[in-house]
Amino acid sequence: MSGLTVDLSRNENLRNVDSHCTVAGAGMEELDFSKLLERERPRPLNMDRQRSYDERSIYELSIRVSPRLTSRAENTSRLIDHLDSLYSPGRRSGFNTPRSNSEFGTHPIVAEAWEALRRSLIYFRGQPVGTIAALDNSEEKINYDQVFVRDFIPSALAFLMNGEPEIVKNFILKTLRLQSWEKKIDRFQLGEGVMPASFKVLHDPVRNNETLIADFGESAIGRVAPVDSGFWWIILLRAYTKSTGDISLAEMPECQKGMRLILSLCLSEGFDTFPTLLCADGCCMIDRRMGVYGYPMEIQALFFMALRCAMLLLKQDEEGKEFVERIVKRLHALSFHMRSYYWIDLKQLNDIYRYKTEEYSHTAVNKFNVIPDSLPEWIFDFMPTRGGYFIGNVSPARMDFRWFSLGNCVAILSSLATPEQSMAIMELIESRWEELIGEMPLKVCYPAIESHEWRIITGCDPKNTRWSYHNGGSWPVLLWLLTAACIKTGRPQIARRAIELAESRLLKDNWPEYYDGTLGRYIGKQARKFQTWSIAGYLVAKMMLEDPSHLGMVALEEDKQMKPLLKRSNSWTF
């Protein structure tokens, strides 16, 4: 077979965790991503889709490990070795299916969730092309009646896991068509590779036809053009290919061109002063002014994952090889930059606390001239003895120490985080359960900004008051990312506990968009009900925990041969 040769016969995302390697610091060796490409493209597709799968639950697998093991890393290592052989079979795994009779059982709200998800489907010329953002008819629709690229991702994964790939294929092709449109905001021409933030279907009863109308930011609140839509599109294309084994979609000239246009935009010299992606405030899930401009963690992690997915999907023709070479170079730089400067644990925090300033030359330790007095008070109590995370942002004289859930979970799934860093992130979540999970998973960021700082950073945004919406609100959609990260790190009990919390509230509260308060106890003051990605996020989490082989759609492996040499952190051990 010529062209794309992605190995779908293995679950490529799980590898044995080396308990003796350590968390980040300076002085690491560069990763050889070109070797990784060779490892992940070893032969043409092997579509042995009928291989049997052990029907036991991930929970059972975890508790069967010998209790005499003294090291959690050993325990996790054995579990992950077992899971490494699993497939992402692309079969049905939803309600009213044989899988529903597994030892997990089916929670009563699963059928309700599927019914709500199907009600959100939107059709174009007789074919389903996506799901609208929300079905809350009690509020003014604004743009909640549109199909958002980022919002559709959990819906797409739910349909793929349930053996319904056509919906996803239609969405991929329709958004690809919209990408080719001329895009202007207030007479400024957007880059050719920009994907729409959202689209809707316009029905003309007079002419009896339908047309698609896309929003590239020209109608959005704040007029912000999205950066993450293109990344999510590439990630979804890889998930579709992984789930179905159908490489013909990715190999279409239109899809190959679409990927190259996205890559041309984000790999251009104008986007990077450092190896990361420069973004305006509001270009990601946190799409209002929240001080995430510059090089936000969420975008870096999505960028990294999209680059790795594209490297697997691009055909090895002349144009494809040129882009792969550029991707490899960027992955080297990006992984070094993120693992060196964005990672923090107790030891690193103490080092920053003792930083000297005004250092000059390449020997400087405090490379960004961060003033120790700028360290926020909350972080000293928040940082556990064991554990760590990627901070929100790094720029000259400023480090944003906030925790951002999506970025850290995607870092785990993409293997931007090393296995040791991934374990440390899960340690942090367990140690700071009340702060990050509370009574409704999952805080979009922590902590909230308030008082004078809130007025300056958000522009007095009445929707982003403290512990609400993007300012420390709790978003059920993030449950699927948390669950995927838990399974990849061998910590399914964390996901199970979080899912049970969500099940106690979501249906009763009519699937809100977000929750407010330090513990997520209150339905968001402006939250829409029947929010589609809250529904889909729950279903994906449930199906993934029930059948962990689905993880292969959304996770990429860490190549042990590329493991960097990192300085040991004594702040935690396993």
Side-chain angles (χ1 to χ4, degrees), residues 96-152:
N96 197 27
T97 72
R99 292 284 306 160
S100 297
N101 296 321
S102 71
E103 65 189 87
F104 270 91
T106 300
H107 196 280
I109 76 171
V110 170
E112 297 278 356
W114 272 110
E115 183 180 345
L117 180 61
R118 296 193 189 284
R119 284 200 307 270
S120 72
L121 280 168
I122 192 165
Y123 292 79
F124 177 69
R125 298 176 183 173
Q127 292 186 320
V129 293
T131 51
I132 61 174
L135 276 170
D136 189 351
N137 295 320
S138 64
E139 300 280 349
E140 183 186 356
K141 285 187 170 62
I142 309 179
N143 56 0
Y144 282 81
D145 62 345
Q146 298 188 30
V147 180
F148 282 81
V149 172
R150 76 170 69 96
D151 289 40
F152 182 68

Side-chain angles (χ1 to χ4, degrees), residues 313 322 328 414 459 463 469 487 489 528 571:
L313 297 170
E322 178 186 346
V328 168
S414 65
K463 201 168 184 178
Y469 201 49
I487 294 172
T489 55
R528 300 304 171 107
S571 62

Side-chain angles (χ1 to χ4, degrees), residues 276-281 291-296 299-300 342 393-395:
T276 42
L277 191 71
L278 182 61
C279 300
D281 213 344
V292 295
Y293 49 83
Y295 307 94
I299 292 296
Q300 306 322 317
Y342 278 67
N393 218 323
V394 174
S395 58

Side-chain angles (χ1 to χ4, degrees), residues 432-447:
R432 295 292 174 256
W433 185 268
E434 289 296 302
E435 292 91 337
L436 302 179
I437 307 295
E439 296 185 19
M440 174 54 66
L442 175 65
K443 280 277 181 290
V444 67
C445 68
Y446 181 89

